Amino acid sequence: MQPYLYPYAGYFRLLAAADTFVVFDDVQFPQRGRVHRCEVPGPDGTAQWLTLPLAPAPRHTLITDLEFAADARSTLDARLERLRWLMNSRGPLADRTRAHLFGALDTPATFVEAGLRLVAEALCLPARFVRSSALAVDPSLRGHERVIAVVEAAGGSAYVNAPGGRALYEPREFERRGIALAFLEPYRGRYPYLLRALVEDDPDALRADIIAATQMSRA
């Protein structure tokens, strides 16, 4: 799965369902996606975007090759400081989350992955992290062929995907290669905005919501 910036709680069901979570970072950066931004509740209760300040990049840039803008630290600080619930929260994970958000900016891919790892560790979701760019998969492969190659390179025998991926893959191709294919059911839990829940709510409640919603169905 592409690394997302503090995505909705349902994303983390992948870490509850799998032994290995492959951070799909050697694919084209989707400029209108959620790699570099997340939805948070605004002052009026409606959703707004918290966006990482990225340096301009060509359309074909891979996620792993993204860079931060020159003024990224001051720009992101200003965006974070406008979120009063983030700045004022005293929840169990608030200080740890703020330390990440206000911490060092290496690369966007590293920063986003660090947020995913923070949540995984805090909520005791044990999947190990592997970057697809570290698996030496043929970059010319596309679609299900690339996914199958990633699973095989990671030593896997099954692939669990988010519910939106059903239309993308041909189950018979996975079966032919000896790989089980399964999809999570649509998420209907309590936490569409994970970041605010992470700094305000009980982490045990967050974990329970994720685990309870981790139902899968075979392709």
Side-chain angles (χ1 to χ4, degrees):
M1 187 70 175
Q2 294 172 358
Y4 286 0
L5 178 67
Y6 289 105
Y8 75 117
Y11 179 105
F12 292 93
R13 298 176 301 165
L14 293 169
L15 279 74
D19 300 304
T20 299
F21 180 76
V22 178
V23 180
F24 216 18
D25 68 331
D26 57 350
V27 293
Q28 182 176 320
F29 166 59
Q31 297 185 4
R32 295 184 179 274
R34 295 172 181 264
V35 172
H36 66 310
R37 60 181 185 167
C38 66
E39 285 185 295
V40 297
D44 60 355
T46 60
Q48 64 181 34
W49 291 106
L50 172 64
T51 304
L52 298 179
L54 302 182
R59 184 173 182 179
H60 61 269
T61 300
L62 304 183
I63 292 171
T64 191
D65 294 332
L66 292 172
E67 296 180 354
F68 280 109
D71 61 348
R73 183 69 273 169
S74 60
T75 300
L76 182 56
D77 286 352
R79 292 172 182 176
L80 294 171
E81 288 165 0
R82 287 196 290 268
L83 303 175
R84 292 187 178 181
W85 50 265
L86 174 65
M87 302 305 299
N88 297 332
S89 175
R90 295 295 178 265
L93 298 177
D95 287 342
R96 187 173 174 183
T97 305
R98 282 191 292 262
H100 170 245
L101 290 169
F102 285 96
L105 298 178
D106 184 2
T107 68
T110 299
F111 183 83
V112 173
E113 182 183 341
L116 296 178
R117 287 178 176 270
L118 184 158
V119 176
E121 183 178 341
L123 303 187
C124 300
L125 303 173
R128 73 184 180 105
F129 281 71
V130 175
R131 285 198 183 190
S132 59
S133 58
L135 294 176
V137 170
D138 182 351
S140 69
L141 295 175
R142 295 289 184 269
H144 67 264
E145 286 293 340
R146 186 166 192 174
V147 170
I148 289 171
V150 166
V151 174
E152 291 176 338
S157 59
Y159 175 55
V160 180
N161 200 349
R166 281 187 178 276
L168 301 178
Y169 304 116
E170 174 51 61
R172 286 176 293 185
E173 292 299 318
F174 285 80
E175 183 179 358
R176 185 173 63 84
R177 299 280 280 271
I179 297 173
L181 176 62
F183 296 92
L184 292 169
E185 296 295 326
Y187 175 72
R188 296 184 176 87
R190 297 171 50 198
Y191 300 104
Y193 307 125
L194 180 81
L195 186 55
R196 182 162 187 171
L198 196 63
V199 300
E200 292 183 345
D201 290 11
D202 180 357
D204 289 339
L206 270 170
R207 172 180 165 78
D209 174 85
I210 290 167
I211 298 299
T214 309
Q215 295 93 19
M216 292 181 289
S217 59
R218 295 291 181 182

